[in-house]
Amino acid sequence: MGESQQIVLPVTGMTCANCVATIERNLKKVEGVKLANVNLSSQRATIEYDPNLSGLNDFIAKINRAGYGIAYGETDFFVKHFSDSSDVQRVEKRLKDLEGVIEARANLANDKVSVKYIPTLVNQAEISKAIKDIGFMLLDITSTAEDAERTAREAEIAQQKHLLFVGLIFTIPLFLLSMSRDLGFIPMAIAHSKWLEWIMLFLATPVQFYVGWQYYVGAYKSLRNRSANMDVLIALGSSSAYFYSLPVVLGMLPGHVYFETAAVIISLIKLGKYLEARAKGRTSEAIKKLMSLQAKSAHILREGEEIEIPIEDVIIGDIVVVRPGEKIPVDGVIIEGRSSVDESMLTGESLPVEKSTGNPVIGATLNKMGYIKFEATKVGRDTALAQIIRLVEDAQGSKAPIQKLADQVSAIFVPAVILVALITFGVWYFIIPLPIGSEVSLFTRALINMVAVLVIACPCAMGLATPTAVMVGTGKGAEMGILIKSGEALEHAGKVTMVVFDKTGTITRGQPEVTDIYVKDHKIDVNEILRLSASVEKGSEHPLSEALLAEAGNRGLHLQEPEGFHNQSGYGIEAEINGKLLRVGNLRMMVEHNIHTDEFQTEVKRLYSEAKTIIYVAINDQLEGIIGVADTIKNSSREAVEKLKKLGLRVGMITGDNPDTAKAIARQVGIDRVLADVLPGVKAEEVKKLQAEGDYVAMVGDGINDAPALAQAEVGIAIGTGTDIAMAAAPIVLIRGDLLDVVRAIDLSLKTMRTIRQNLFWAFVYNIILIPAAAAGFLNPMLAAGAMAFSSIFVVTNSLRLRKYSYID
């Protein structure tokens, strides 16, 4: 096979886990398909395939053949204006070349272009851009920011609501009439009259064949594909009650009519599906929230003038102007001005971030205070927000390994239930005698118990148990600035026993800073020692030199140009300032020039114990001061380690530093296990050793230098920067550099997995207990239908509780 491609299709018509299995099985039959992953909760099919062997039309045809549909978007564009039919043909050809455009019709008479498309593959902004790219102007765009997939889903829910309303109009009076007759509230003469049964038939028929028609269609398509889904159970159960009652009304059989049973079954299940669909819609609110963040327009400078354009028209290199209180429309780099930017909508960080010339800005964040100009560097699908949305959508469409059990059970569930129902009928009809004085026949009793078995069974709850929790969990993570890229990563993170941190840039800031300055007998001011040493270091590019220069800048010190600058590699720097010879370097340099260091012995010992690097400053070969420099620890490092330990996890650190420095850093943050003197290429081997000891390892690093170790660990957690999200190979990416997000990511995974287990427990126990109860005659079909509807709603609402997740120490 050739190189793989992946597409995501929004599927309609799925009701249970058997639908998922049917679509996956049919898609896998298409030549070139390597992977077909269908998610019941997000209603999407993810397909990995060889484009040389199959394509979009093959997949759509296969899904339609299986009895399901695709959620299409439809929109109109108005062009200024078509000259002739060749313009029309040009536009239609260009749009049909776009992947995801199913139909494109351009009308010469009214200059309208009507497009039918698949919203997961192409959006309205890309369609309008394609029209503009071939030289046409758009006069008006209807619903540019519309979420076409959501519109299709809402239309589906509206249809369910309509059917439910119709069902209740007929079912409620039918149920009241039947109960009044059975409880003796209606005079005997009327209760046993034929015309009352005809009224009940009249009320039940629209429910059976209008409200319940989709169950017949679904059952037929399912059986045609040699599988059985929930529709088969409902169609069998309700039809048994309805068609048994029909000959009774016609006088062909003696006995009781059960029209109300058939109607109540359909209406209750329709109510459950409607409530479930509404609840499922809330599982994807995180995505909707992210999509709504985007600015609709941008102010840009073109030919010296500021103009406002739609955001989809911004191109790389445009100079964008943003005023206080406005959203930043696309990603870019500031070229003028300074401000503070609220990035909480993407990173979860509540404090605004200071921005000035040269700093990156992220589209959809809020400019709080200053006026800035920036150059657009990423637009459209390349922006950080678009990447995040894409990653979260991929995660929500993925399957956690724990779902395999539910999938395996679902594959045989409906046939097994039908078998149990038939056995139930046989036992009650042929084996168990009627009690003396019974008002029902053997056949009626057996039929009622069989129907109860058919409608109590619920494959939906099993199918929804995992995907709904994964959707809500990954969506909640995205709101907090934690990108969990798959259900598999979510599950693995919940099994972690040890977290290993890279040191530089992860536990520490990765940027040396001046922490201590000591002077000899205070004869020279601390600032003067710093000023002189920083002046000497001006010509050096060493990281320690940068630390001295940065601290001098922070203190506003005026530096001088050194004379006779000489860099002694491995020792330090010597130069003259104001006629004084300065030597700024390490202990080796002092020993080389016979400069005594005894006076600072106490301070030196303390700095070494704190894992700090010491810079000696000598003037005219007399030691006048020492400066301590350290790669400072991030504020959240110690707290994060403590909280990980409270979760019952062991914590380690891996670094290329020498053991003394590494242990000193580890002591400061409370880490017990230290792996020091480890070269970058060997980090993965060290992770492998920890795994050999029985640990389930999460590796936390910067996502680039630590890539092999991140890949080796069961869970790789990359510290992102908000703009390189898609670059990180790790399955979990923290947009902020806050290590507390490691705790939140693992804790969120634990709680999501706990929710999945609760859902699966409920789904399995519900069926294990209630199917035998129905078979034993303890449940009538109407109660069974209500319980079946409740089971799916329970699973979805239990998953929705994760939306309120917050880490509590």
Side-chain angles (χ1 to χ4, degrees):
M1 285 191 178
E3 190 174 335
S4 295
Q5 284 188 12
Q6 181 176 294
I7 62 170
V8 178
L9 299 178
V11 182
T12 59
M14 290 195 290
T15 55
C16 69
N18 285 80
C19 301
V20 170
T22 300
I23 297 171
E24 285 182 347
R25 188 174 64 252
N26 277 274
L27 285 172
K28 285 172 184 174
K29 291 177 183 176
V30 178
E31 187 180 8
V33 170
K34 299 177 181 179
L35 175 75
N37 204 353
V38 179
N39 187 298
L40 178 60
S41 187
S42 66
Q43 305 262 303
R44 287 183 171 191
T46 303
I47 307 159
E48 189 179 321
Y49 66 103
D50 183 345
N52 297 315
L53 299 176
S54 54
L56 176 62
N57 292 333
D58 300 314
F59 308 138
I60 293 174
K62 210 66 176 173
I63 290 170
N64 289 335
R65 170 70 186 162
Y68 304 90
I70 300 292
Y72 296 110
E74 295 187 26
T75 189
D76 295 330
F77 299 89
F78 293 90
V79 174
K80 179 192 174 182
H81 67 276
F82 289 132
S83 301
D84 53 33
S85 59
S86 66
D87 281 355
V88 169
Q89 291 167 6
R90 197 150 55 94
V91 168
E92 287 181 348
K93 183 180 184 306
R94 176 70 185 94
L95 292 181
K96 286 173 182 176
D97 286 342
L98 288 178
E99 186 184 34
V101 171
I102 304 302
E103 289 178 13
R105 297 186 311 277
N107 190 315
L108 183 61
N110 59 11
D111 296 326
K112 186 168 83 169
V113 181
S114 298
V115 185
K116 182 179 180 181
Y117 63 100
I118 299 175
T120 52
L121 301 181
V122 66
N123 59 40
Q124 293 184 16
E126 289 166 332
I127 295 169
S128 67
K129 186 176 183 301
I131 297 172
K132 291 172 187 174
D133 284 348
I134 55 173
F136 293 95
M137 282 184 64
L138 294 179
L139 289 178
D140 181 34
I141 303 173
T142 57
S143 305
T144 305
E146 175 194 31
D147 180 350
E149 188 180 357
R150 184 178 64 186
T151 303
R153 301 286 182 217
E154 285 175 351
E156 212 176 337
I157 292 173
Q159 172 69 1
Q160 294 293 325
K161 185 178 180 181
H162 165 72
L163 291 173
L164 171 63
F165 182 69
V166 172
L168 292 177
I169 284 176
F170 288 97
T171 301
I172 290 172
L174 173 59
F175 178 74
L176 292 174
L177 199 60
S178 175
M179 289 299 101
S180 298
R181 183 192 62 175
D182 293 347
L183 295 172
F185 296 153
I186 295 176
M188 191 72 68
I190 297 174
H192 290 91
S193 63
K194 271 293 176 198
W195 61 266
L196 184 64
E197 292 179 347
W198 279 99
I199 290 173
M200 296 170 80
L201 170 62
F202 169 77
L203 291 170
T205 301
V207 180
Q208 190 70 34
F209 298 109
Y210 177 69
V211 178
W213 183 248
Q214 74 175 80
Y215 298 123
Y216 285 106
V217 173
Y220 165 72
K221 289 177 177 177
S222 177
L223 293 171
R224 186 182 67 185
N225 285 286
R226 298 177 184 176
S227 67
N229 64 3
M230 186 195 79
D231 293 338
V232 173
L233 297 180
I234 297 169
L236 280 174
S238 62
S239 296
S240 299
Y242 180 87
F243 287 108
Y244 166 77
S245 303
L246 207 53
V248 174
V249 174
L250 297 173
M252 298 165 63
L253 278 178
H256 194 78
V257 293
Y258 289 94
F259 289 121
E260 81 285 354
T261 299
V264 168
I265 286 171
I266 288 174
S267 294
L268 276 176
I269 290 170
K270 186 64 69 178
L271 172 65
K273 294 313 267 179
Y274 171 65
L275 294 175
E276 176 195 316
R278 286 189 59 185
K280 275 199 302 188
R282 291 164 62 200
T283 62
S284 60
E285 278 188 4
I287 286 286
K288 293 175 192 170
K289 201 179 291 183
L290 286 170
M291 292 175 79
S292 69
L293 292 176
Q294 184 132 26
K296 304 295 183 287
S297 62
H299 294 95
I300 66 164
L301 294 176
R302 285 193 182 160
E303 297 177 2
E305 286 190 19
E306 184 181 317
I307 58 171
E308 184 175 359
I309 62 171
I311 190 169
E312 57 267 20
D313 290 346
V314 179
I315 59 175
I316 293 172
D318 271 340
I319 304 303
V320 185
V321 176
V322 187
R323 292 174 175 79
E326 292 181 345
K327 279 186 179 179
I328 293 169
V330 295
D331 295 3
V333 176
I334 295 176
I335 58 171
E336 185 182 318
R338 57 188 302 124
S339 182
S340 60
V341 177
D342 180 358
E343 297 182 343
S344 60
M345 60 281 293
L346 293 184
T347 65
E349 175 58 70
S350 57
L351 294 175
V353 182
E354 295 300 318
K355 301 281 186 179
S356 59
T357 303
N359 290 148
V361 288
I362 306 171
T365 55
L366 184 65
N367 182 29
K368 297 283 282 185
M369 295 175 65
Y371 173 93
I372 57 173
K373 291 180 186 176
F374 70 90
E375 181 182 350
T377 56
K378 289 182 181 177
V379 297
R381 294 197 172 198
D382 295 327
T383 62
L385 177 64
Q387 290 174 19
I388 290 170
I389 290 171
R390 198 154 57 245
L391 287 172
V392 176
E393 284 179 336
D394 288 347
Q396 293 185 337
S398 67
K399 287 189 178 183
I402 196 172
Q403 193 172 339
K404 286 178 183 174
L405 174 63
D407 288 347
Q408 288 166 353
V409 172
S410 298
I412 58 167
F413 182 79
V414 176
V417 169
I418 293 171
L419 180 62
V420 170
L422 291 172
I423 292 170
T424 298
F425 181 88
V427 169
W428 283 102
Y429 186 74
F430 294 108
I431 299 175
I432 302 176
L434 277 174
I436 297 170
S438 173
E439 294 183 4
V440 297
S441 66
L442 274 170
F443 182 84
T444 302
R445 184 186 65 175
L447 180 74
I448 292 300
N449 290 336
M450 181 188 79
V451 170
V453 171
L454 289 171
V455 297
I456 195 69
C458 188
C460 307
M462 286 188 289
L464 291 168
T466 303
T468 51
V470 169
M471 282 189 76
V472 181
T474 52
K476 186 65 185 177
E479 287 178 20
M480 298 160 61
I482 299 166
L483 297 182
I484 302 170
K485 294 185 179 179
S486 68
E488 188 176 14
L490 196 68
E491 182 170 337
H492 287 329
K495 297 178 181 176
V496 167
T497 59
M498 183 172 193
V499 180
V500 180
F501 290 99
D502 174 51
K503 182 183 80 70
T504 306
T506 304
I507 289 176
T508 65
R509 298 181 189 278
Q511 201 169 7
E513 294 179 5
V514 172
T515 57
D516 306 87
I517 303 175
Y518 297 103
V519 294
K520 182 180 178 181
D521 300 330
H522 301 285
K523 288 179 181 177
I524 299 180
D525 183 63
V526 166
N527 282 345
E528 182 62 11
I529 283 288
L530 177 61
R531 188 185 75 81
L532 291 170
S533 55
S535 296
V536 169
E537 297 280 359
K538 275 179 76 175
S540 172
E541 294 181 357
H542 194 279
L544 296 181
S545 302
E546 291 177 11
L548 293 177
L549 291 166
E551 184 63 21
N554 290 341
R555 299 191 184 199
L557 304 179
H558 175 68
L559 304 185
Q560 293 177 254
E561 288 297 327
E563 297 176 3
F565 178 89
H566 177 57
N567 185 2
Q568 290 182 267
S569 182
Y571 289 82
I573 295 171
E574 60 180 47
E576 284 191 15
I577 291 180
N578 296 336
K580 296 175 182 176
L581 176 63
L582 275 91
R583 300 187 198 274
V584 181
N586 56 24
L587 181 61
R588 212 179 293 129
M589 175 180 249
M590 300 300 111
V591 173
E592 176 82 10
H593 295 280
N594 297 314
I595 299 171
H596 297 291
T597 59
D598 297 344
E599 292 178 66
F600 289 96
Q601 214 167 23
T602 305
E603 290 82 357
V604 166
K605 280 183 181 176
R606 190 177 73 78
L607 292 174
Y608 272 136
S609 71
E610 294 172 358
K612 293 176 180 176
T613 301
I614 300 170
I615 298 174
Y616 294 84
V617 184
I619 302 175
N620 294 331
D621 288 339
Q622 292 291 316
L623 185 61
E624 297 294 346
I626 60 172
I627 300 173
V629 177
D631 183 1
T632 53
I633 291 167
K634 289 180 181 177
N635 295 334
S636 59
S637 294
R638 183 171 185 82
E639 188 182 355
V641 171
E642 286 174 0
K643 289 187 172 180
L644 286 169
K645 287 181 175 180
K646 283 185 181 177
L647 287 175
L649 307 177
R650 299 195 305 124
V651 186
M653 183 180 79
I654 193 164
T655 178
D657 280 349
N658 66 71
D660 290 337
T661 303
K663 285 175 184 174
I665 293 287
R667 269 198 307 275
Q668 290 179 52
V669 295
I671 290 175
D672 306 316
R673 184 76 179 265
V674 180
L675 304 169
D677 273 334
V678 180
L679 297 172
V682 189
K683 286 182 181 178
E685 291 299 317
E686 293 296 331
V687 171
K688 200 179 287 186
K689 288 177 186 175
L690 293 173
Q691 291 168 324
E693 293 172 14
D695 276 310
Y696 207 87
V697 179
M699 172 72 196
V700 185
D702 64 12
I704 301 166
N705 299 333
D706 304 309
L710 290 169
Q712 176 61 41
E714 278 86 1
V715 181
I717 303 177
I719 305 288
T721 62
T723 54
D724 61 355
I725 298 141
M727 302 290 289
I732 298 178
V733 179
L734 311 180
I735 300 178
R736 298 184 290 174
D738 188 350
L739 291 194
L740 286 172
D741 284 344
V742 176
V743 187
R744 295 184 186 103
I746 292 173
D747 188 54
L748 176 62
S749 298
L750 286 166
K751 286 187 169 57
T752 305
M753 290 311 299
R754 186 170 69 193
T755 301
I756 289 172
R757 290 189 189 97
Q758 289 169 350
N759 289 348
L760 287 172
F761 174 81
W762 164 261
F764 282 116
V765 167
Y766 162 88
N767 284 296
I768 288 167
I769 292 175
L770 293 188
I771 289 176
F778 295 128
L779 286 172
N780 74 48
M782 288 184 284
L783 284 176
M788 188 270 206
F790 172 75
S791 67
S792 296
I793 297 167
F794 171 85
V795 165
V796 178
T797 51
N798 189 47
S799 296
L800 285 172
R801 290 187 308 122
L802 286 167
R803 290 168 63 219
K804 297 179 181 177
Y805 166 84
S806 62
Y807 178 73
I808 300 172
D809 188 5

